[in-house]
Amino acid sequence: MQTLIFATGNRHKADEVQDFLGEGFALRCLKDVGITEDIPENADTLEGNALCKARYVYDKTGSACFADDTGLEVDVLGGAPGIHTARYAGEEKSSEANIDLLLRNMEGKENRAARFRTVIAYIDGSGSVHYFEGVVEGSITNERSKGAEGFGYDPIFMPNGYDKTFAQIPLAEKNSISHRGRAMSKFIEFLNGEK
């Protein structure tokens, strides 16, 4: 079984990623490797932020690791919140506040087109960097949906071809179509080729 360090403290995200990886990989998170401090994310792209996190963990542990950065890009808002997705409404990273602000900023807007984009930066055991990207197109709903699945902006993001938001789609199905799922599929294919 291959052990991978995932540069996240987000338990929801870690569970989602472990679900993708399956039984062939043991996932260790930041807390598991003794990293409890906030890792700086000061790049101006998703690729840059993912690499900042992966590089920080690699420098501390010397082990193969990966990080991701995800952005929600809303067309009518010029691609915002983008790299500020997690902190859109402030540094406390409140999903509720982020959704409230986005819905306020979308009031009266007819164009609801948006996409989720995930970039994974993987640093292998030799220190080489590899990137994997996944995108899912969709739209922002007018209000929060009922539904207990997912996290973050999932209650207001409806993927194209669906009449449900990510919060209403069962996790296994969401993983098969999501931005993170698409990036992870490319990443896993690469890892399996590395073995």
Side-chain angles (χ1 to χ4, degrees):
M1 181 177 290
Q2 186 175 347
T3 298
L4 284 173
I5 301 172
F6 182 22
T8 188
N10 183 325
R11 197 72 246 167
H12 290 294
K13 195 190 282 190
D15 290 345
E16 203 172 272
V17 167
Q18 182 64 69
D19 192 52
F20 286 120
L21 290 170
E23 295 175 7
F25 297 91
L27 195 64
R28 299 181 75 203
C29 297
L30 293 175
K31 201 185 294 181
D32 301 327
V33 295
I35 298 174
T36 55
E37 62 272 27
D38 272 343
I39 299 174
E41 296 176 52
N42 44 21
D44 56 6
T45 63
L46 297 176
E47 291 83 356
N49 280 333
L51 183 58
C52 282
K53 291 183 278 189
R55 177 74 62 209
Y56 187 91
V57 174
Y58 183 80
D59 289 347
K60 287 256 182 186
T61 65
S63 299
C65 63
F66 70 100
D68 73 339
D69 200 27
T70 295
L72 174 62
E73 301 170 345
V74 180
D75 287 357
V76 76
L77 300 179
I83 61 166
H84 305 291
T85 294
R87 296 175 173 85
Y88 191 47
E91 286 301 314
E92 65 279 358
K93 298 185 186 179
S94 163
S95 293
E96 293 301 309
N98 287 339
I99 289 173
D100 288 344
L101 179 59
L102 185 61
L103 289 176
R104 271 197 312 278
N105 289 341
M106 295 288 291
E107 278 175 15
K109 306 272 195 289
E110 281 186 38
N111 178 2
R112 314 291 291 186
R115 75 204 44 76
F116 265 119
R117 195 161 68 89
T118 292
V119 176
I120 294 170
Y122 169 59
I123 303 179
D124 64 26
S126 69
S128 296
V129 178
H130 310 271
Y131 292 101
F132 309 90
E133 182 183 44
V135 179
V136 63
E137 300 284 344
S139 59
I140 303 299
T141 57
N142 290 306
E143 58 188 32
R144 282 178 178 79
S145 65
K146 303 283 188 278
E149 299 289 337
F151 59 95
Y153 294 86
D154 287 357
I156 61 168
F157 183 82
M158 187 177 296
N160 288 346
Y162 283 75
D163 60 358
K164 296 176 181 172
T165 66
F166 269 167
Q168 296 170 302
I169 298 172
L171 182 61
E173 187 178 355
K174 176 193 166 188
N175 284 350
S176 72
I177 62 163
S178 77
H179 47 295
R180 188 167 291 113
R182 290 172 178 176
M184 284 300 300
S185 291
K186 294 174 186 175
F187 179 38
I188 291 165
E189 193 176 315
F190 176 83
L191 290 174
N192 286 331
E194 241 192 0
K195 282 182 178 176

